[in-house]
């Protein structure tokens, strides 16, 4: 998605934002005993950081006389991948009926991001007192589960000897599926395509979320209506109907189809020898899971993060305030802002938090040869930095020791990460997905090679985020971001999928820093899901439908 207009405060836009509900289960172990005559009566309070302040979201019930509580009440939170969602879990010993927390004894607390919890699925951590010291031997265990029914039903259906409705021809039949609404009326869920001029239609297989069709309840009755002569004003002619359930539809197998009589109640009342208005055949019915991004993360998929930094001469002398690499008195610049914005989100999804940081377009000591793929910590055998802080430290430390040069070649770094992504495919599991963040100030010099590298990388578990700093013309970057057209290599080969996300930093200079992360990471969840689905790879620890 190319961001070209100044951004307004972002909100969910269709399905590109990964928003779903996560259920958190809380247990405590070896809690402090604050009561003299009995054991503590603990309860847990959940806070979320909003604009720098802790806001209470919810509380569990109180576990009476229990130092090892497993709380029945669950916390339910909206999960946003592209945001840092800071949470705090505080435990108290209930002493009075007051809702004021200062009236109760403090048993300890633990803070982390929601991303940390979902990337591990389950974590156990030490509870801390207000002074940062351990709360005795007290521990807290937090387990995450996605709250959604991701099952989908795929139906393959046909009709036989449907009633003829046209004096001169045949019917144009289609099916409509209804479920009972909250008001007791039937609610339309799905309509098939119209098959022209036939009394023996065969409809294309179609897939519907199970929640949409029957609220996820297999035994719930649904109604199938057979119509003909589709009218856009809704005045379709009625052939017949029948009621069934998903459980019944699931009896259909490829070898033994299920047949349902299509009944027209008016004809049934009028004609004594009325049998039916045709047969609807369920040729096959399959229920599968439509896995989400969170399913893959909870299943153990790690996001492998690499940074590529542009050290070409067009950035300017880093000693000069006019340089894009100049680190101002506040200790930042646009390169560092982009690293922080993206890195602080993604680092939660990598268990060892060791990230390769590479540079390109600079001359390196001692022989001052130009390199387009060098470790900014000057350790080619181990280019890994510890966390985002490690990347920032290595970046600042390398600036005085290199000479900015050129040209601006992207392909070596893209191919570097692609080699690791290709190795990961040999596992044939949804265990790793690679993200390359390239921060650059200008026009790509090796456009043909870069296009080819992106097209090849589109076949791999890999996405590329490009942040353009400074005020250059970034038309070439927009070209790589295949939102409006399919990217082709110079040989004409098309990208299998769109894996490049470009944003110009200048559109985000005067907005909260979180806005850049949202724009940059908006498409990543669907790119991850799209790749693993295309490879028919379920989450590692997925359950059957």
């Amino acid at each position: 998605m190319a961001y070209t207009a100044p951004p307004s405060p972002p909100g969910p836009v269709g399905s590109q934002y990964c928003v779903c509900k996560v259920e958190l289960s809380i247990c405590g172990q070896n809690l402090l005993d604050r009561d003299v005559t009995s054991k503590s009566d603990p309860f847990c309070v959940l806070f979320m950081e909003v604009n720098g302040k802790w806001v209470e979201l919810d509380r569990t019930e109180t576990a009476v006389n229990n130092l090892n509580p497993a709380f029945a009440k669950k916390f339910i939170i909206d999960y946003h991948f592209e945001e840092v969602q800071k949470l705090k879990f505080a435990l108290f010993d209930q002493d009075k009926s007051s809702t004021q927390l200062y009236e109760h004894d403090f048993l300890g607390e633990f803070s982390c991001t929601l991303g940390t919890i979902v990337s591990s699925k389950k974590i156990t951590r030490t509870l801390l007192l207000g002074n940062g010291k351990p709360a005795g031997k007290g521990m807290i265990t937090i387990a995450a589960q996605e709250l959604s029914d991701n099952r989908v039903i795929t139906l393959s259906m046909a009709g036989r000897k449907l009633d003829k409705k046209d004096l001169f021809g045949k019917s144009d039949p289609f099916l409509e599926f209804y479920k009972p609404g909250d008001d007791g009326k039937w609610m339309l869920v799905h309509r098939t395509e119209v098959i022209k001029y036939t009394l023996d239609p065969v409809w294309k297989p179609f897939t519907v979320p199970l929640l949409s069709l029957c609220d996820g309840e297999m035994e719930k009755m649904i109604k199938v209506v057979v119509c003909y002569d589709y009218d856009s004003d809704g005045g379709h002619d009625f052939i017949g109907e029948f009621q069934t359930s998903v459980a019944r539809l699931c009896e259909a197998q490829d070898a033994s189809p299920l047949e349902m009589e299509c009944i027209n109640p008016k004809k049934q009342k009028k004609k004594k020898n009325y049998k039916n208005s045709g047969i609807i055949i369920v040729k096959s019915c399959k229920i599968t899971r439509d896995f989400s991004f969170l399913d893959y993360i909870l299943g153990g998929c790690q996001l492998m993060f690499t940074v590529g930094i542009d050290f070409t001469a067009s950035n300017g002398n880093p000693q000069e305030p006019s340089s894009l690499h100049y680190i101002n008195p506040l200790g930042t610049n646009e390169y560092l802002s982009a690293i922080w914005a993206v890195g602080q989100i993604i680092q939660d999804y990598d268990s060892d938090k060791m990230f390769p940081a590479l540079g390109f377009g600079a001359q390196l000591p001692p022989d001052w040869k130009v390199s387009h793929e060098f470790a900014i910590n000057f350790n080619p055998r181990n280019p890994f930095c510890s966390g985002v802080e490690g990347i920032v430290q290595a970046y600042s430390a390398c600036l005085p020791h290199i000479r900015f040069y050129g040209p601006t070649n992207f392909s070596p770094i893209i191919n570097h990460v692609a080699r690791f992504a290709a190795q990961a495919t040999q596992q044939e599991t949804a265990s790793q997905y690679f993200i390359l963040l390239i921060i650059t100030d200008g026009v790509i010099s090796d456009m043909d090679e870069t296009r080819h590298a992106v097209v090849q990388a589109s076949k791999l578990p890999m996405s590329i985020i490009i942040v353009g700093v400074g005020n250059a013309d970034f038309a070439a970057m927009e070209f790589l971001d295949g939102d409006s057209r399919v990217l082709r290599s110079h040989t004409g080969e098309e990208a299998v999928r769109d894996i490049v996300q470009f944003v110009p930093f200048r559109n985000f200079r005067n907005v909260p820093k979180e806005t850049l992360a949202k724009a940059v990471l908006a498409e990543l969840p669907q790119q991850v899901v799209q790749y693993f689905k295309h490879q028919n790879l379920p989450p590692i620890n997925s359950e059957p439908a």
Side-chain angles (χ1 to χ4, degrees):
M1 185 183 83
Y3 247 81
T4 50
S8 56
V13 182
S15 62
Q16 75 174 23
Y17 278 79
C18 179
V19 184
C20 40
K21 292 191 181 295
V22 174
E23 179 185 82
L24 301 178
S25 302
I26 312 297
C27 298
Q29 298 92 35
N30 302 316
L31 300 184
L32 288 172
D33 193 353
R34 297 292 197 190
D35 290 349
V36 178
T37 55
S38 64
K39 292 175 181 169
S40 293
D41 304 324
F43 65 96
C44 183
V45 184
L46 172 65
F47 299 88
M48 179 179 277
E49 189 179 82
V50 179
N51 297 326
K53 294 180 180 177
W54 290 111
V55 176
E56 181 177 337
L57 294 187
D58 206 353
R59 299 183 183 190
T60 66
E61 80 281 10
T62 298
V64 179
N65 216 16
N66 192 342
L67 301 183
N68 298 283
F71 297 105
K73 167 81 181 283
K74 313 295 185 188
F75 294 135
I76 296 172
I77 304 177
D78 285 339
Y79 165 76
H80 301 263
F81 165 71
E82 68 284 351
E83 294 178 15
V84 175
Q85 294 175 273
K86 290 183 181 173
L87 304 177
K88 180 163 73 176
F89 302 84
L91 287 126
F92 296 86
D93 171 22
Q94 181 163 351
D95 283 334
K96 302 171 184 173
S97 58
S98 172
T99 58
Q100 299 296 322
L101 292 176
Y102 64 79
E103 298 273 11
H104 308 285
D105 291 328
F106 180 56
L107 299 177
E109 66 185 23
F110 167 67
S111 302
C112 68
T113 64
L114 183 56
T116 298
I117 300 169
V118 299
S119 66
S120 302
K121 196 169 186 179
K122 187 175 185 179
I123 61 173
T124 299
R125 297 289 187 271
T126 301
L127 287 167
L128 301 177
L129 297 173
N131 59 9
K133 293 182 178 178
K137 295 180 180 178
M139 307 287 283
I140 186 170
T141 297
I142 307 160
Q145 181 178 351
E146 183 175 5
L147 270 191
S148 71
D149 187 340
N150 59 11
R151 292 174 297 170
V152 294
I153 182 168
T154 301
L155 288 162
S156 181
M157 302 182 74
R160 187 174 71 238
K161 294 184 179 177
L162 299 183
D163 278 0
K164 185 177 177 183
K165 289 289 180 179
D166 195 321
L167 290 172
F168 305 104
K170 295 181 178 180
S171 299
D172 303 331
F174 61 96
L175 302 176
E176 290 185 334
F177 290 76
Y178 293 81
K179 71 176 178 183
D182 293 336
D183 57 1
K185 295 178 182 176
W186 290 103
M187 188 169 91
L188 179 63
V189 173
H190 180 76
R191 180 184 290 127
T192 68
E193 83 278 19
V194 178
I195 307 292
K196 291 278 191 182
Y197 316 123
T198 181
L199 301 180
D200 302 295
V202 177
W203 289 282
K204 291 176 186 171
F206 60 91
T207 300
V208 183
L210 208 58
L211 276 176
S212 300
L213 185 61
C214 61
D215 299 323
E217 298 172 30
M218 304 281 281
E219 301 295 339
K220 178 177 271 192
M221 295 307 291
I222 60 173
K223 182 167 76 169
V224 182
V225 176
V226 187
C227 307
Y228 90 103
D229 282 354
Y230 176 83
D231 293 324
S232 57
D233 64 0
H236 324 308
D237 291 311
F238 177 75
I239 293 177
E241 66 183 30
F242 61 90
Q243 291 189 24
T244 185
S245 67
V246 170
R248 178 94 171 94
L249 294 175
C250 285
E251 294 173 16
Q253 303 294 331
D254 291 333
S256 56
L258 184 68
E259 297 194 352
M260 306 276 198
E261 284 192 311
C262 179
I263 303 298
N264 185 323
K266 287 183 180 177
K267 282 191 175 183
Q268 196 175 36
K269 281 182 182 177
K270 285 181 183 176
K271 297 182 180 179
K272 286 184 180 178
N273 60 348
Y274 175 81
K275 198 172 180 185
N276 58 52
S277 293
I279 302 292
I280 296 297
I281 305 155
V282 185
K283 294 162 67 179
S284 73
C285 172
K286 289 179 182 152
I287 293 179
T288 52
R289 292 195 180 274
D290 185 19
F291 294 112
S292 69
F293 172 72
L294 198 49
D295 286 323
Y296 285 103
I297 296 299
L298 288 168
C301 181
Q302 299 273 298
L303 300 185
M304 316 301 284
F305 181 47
T306 301
V307 178
I309 300 173
D310 179 345
F311 290 111
T312 54
S314 53
N315 283 277
N317 183 342
Q319 306 299 321
E320 302 288 334
S322 59
S323 170
L324 292 166
H325 281 291
Y326 175 73
I327 298 177
N328 65 32
L330 295 174
T332 189
N333 60 33
E334 291 188 1
Y335 280 89
L336 286 170
S337 296
I339 291 168
W340 274 113
V342 179
Q344 68 175 347
I345 304 279
I346 292 177
Q347 70 175 349
D348 285 342
Y349 300 87
D350 186 335
S351 56
D352 67 5
K353 296 184 174 27
M354 298 297 291
F355 307 120
L358 308 173
F360 60 93
Q363 294 174 319
L364 305 186
D367 54 6
W368 303 108
K369 285 184 179 174
V370 177
S371 174
H372 297 291
E373 181 192 343
F374 65 90
I376 64 171
N377 65 1
F378 301 114
N379 186 348
R381 290 186 178 176
N382 184 12
F384 295 91
C385 301
S386 178
V388 182
E389 295 90 347
I391 298 173
V392 170
Q393 289 167 7
Y395 166 76
S396 302
C398 88
L399 284 173
H401 302 291
I402 60 176
R403 292 177 188 165
F404 290 13
Y405 204 71
T408 307
N409 290 354
F410 278 17
S411 60
I413 279 185
I414 295 173
N415 290 330
H416 174 99
V417 176
R419 284 194 293 274
F420 290 95
Q423 287 174 13
T425 62
Q426 295 171 13
Q427 298 175 41
E428 296 184 349
T429 59
S431 56
Q432 291 182 321
Y433 192 92
F434 291 77
I435 296 145
L436 169 60
L437 169 65
I438 297 177
I439 314 169
T440 182
D441 82 316
V443 180
I444 302 173
S445 306
D446 64 337
M447 192 53 162
D448 283 353
E449 292 85 353
T450 295
R451 280 163 55 194
H452 182 74
V454 171
V455 167
Q456 299 310 309
S458 72
K459 305 169 190 173
L460 299 170
M462 177 173 168
S463 289
I464 302 166
I465 296 164
I466 303 173
V467 176
V469 297
N471 297 309
D473 175 9
F474 292 122
M477 310 299 176
E478 312 251 1
F479 178 76
L480 291 175
D481 188 333
D483 275 357
S484 56
R485 71 182 84 73
V486 176
L487 179 70
R488 287 183 171 82
S489 74
H490 61 285
T491 62
E493 184 181 358
E494 290 186 353
V496 176
R497 57 197 182 94
D498 175 18
I499 64 166
V500 176
Q501 173 89 334
F502 166 71
V503 294
F505 189 92
R506 57 179 173 242
N507 289 355
F508 298 87
R509 283 175 186 153
N510 301 313
V511 295
K513 62 180 185 297
E514 296 84 8
T515 315
L516 174 64
K518 288 182 183 181
V520 165
L521 296 170
E523 289 178 7
L524 188 65
Q526 70 187 38
Q527 289 175 355
V528 172
V529 172
Q530 187 186 33
Y531 173 78
F532 289 129
K533 278 186 181 175
H534 191 260
Q535 300 296 318
N536 291 317
L537 292 174
I540 300 167
N541 302 318
S542 60
E543 299 172 3

